[in-house]
């Protein structure tokens, strides 16, 4: 039997993880890469419309930071019914499309989540 003292390293109270807001932030680099990928049209319906860089996944689900595979250029504004950005944020089929599209992007880029 071992009665030796085995100190367990103290848990750090420092916040190592970025906040959901920081993880959800879309950098210029990501925005530009997404825009280039889209060819300047909505990545779902192909309209050359006013585009927004839309999250394909809930921000709080993003582990480290938003990559180009977590977003899509979609027709907007998000608050307007009938646009793709509104659709993926407000409907179940839209959310499913967003997740499937994200999976496809990760597959194509060869990066694992
Ligand atoms: Zn669209």
């Amino acid at each position: 039997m071992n009665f030796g003292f085995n100190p367990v390293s103290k848990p750090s109270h420092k916040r190592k993880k970025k906040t959901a807001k920081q993880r959800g932030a879309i950098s210029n680099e990501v925005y530009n890469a997404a825009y280039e990928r889209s060819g300047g049209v909505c990545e779902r319906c192909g309209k050359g419309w006013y585009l927004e860089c839309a999250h394909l996944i809930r921000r709080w689900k993003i582990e480290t930071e938003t990559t180009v595979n977590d977003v899509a250029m979609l027709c907007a504004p998000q608050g307007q019914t009938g646009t793709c950005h509104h659709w993926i944020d407000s409907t179940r089929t839209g959310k499913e499309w967003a997740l499937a599209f994200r999976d496809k992007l990760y597959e194509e880029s060869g990066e694992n989540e």
Side-chain angles (χ1 to χ4, degrees):
M1 281 241 228
N2 175 17
F3 291 104
F5 179 58
N6 295 309
V8 177
S9 64
K10 274 188 192 170
S12 164
H13 291 289
K14 265 196 180 164
R15 171 178 268 247
K16 281 198 185 128
K17 267 195 143 181
K18 290 180 177 176
T19 66
K21 200 179 166 192
Q22 287 170 323
R23 299 197 303 275
I26 296 169
S27 65
N28 284 339
E29 204 183 350
V30 166
Y31 186 95
N32 290 339
Y35 191 83
E36 205 166 291
R37 188 184 67 209
S38 75
V41 295
C42 173
E43 292 197 82
R44 178 178 165 250
C45 71
K47 264 193 237 167
W49 202 249
Y50 169 60
L51 301 178
E52 275 173 0
C53 203
H55 281 89
L56 298 170
I57 182 172
R58 297 285 141 213
R59 287 166 201 231
W60 55 266
K61 281 196 175 173
I62 294 171
E63 295 276 332
T64 49
E65 59 182 15
T66 304
T67 76
V68 70
N69 297 327
D70 296 317
V71 297
M73 296 306 293
L74 295 178
C75 56
Q78 188 236 355
Q80 190 179 308
T81 314
T83 65
C84 291
H85 196 175
H86 180 269
W87 181 72
I88 71 157
D89 278 359
S90 312
T91 69
R92 182 203 274 253
T93 43
K95 281 183 190 117
E96 281 167 4
W97 178 89
L99 289 177
F101 190 69
R102 182 171 174 268
D103 282 348
K104 196 181 79 134
L105 292 176
Y106 270 100
E107 240 169 64
E108 285 173 359
S109 71
E111 274 178 49
N112 287 318
E113 286 182 60

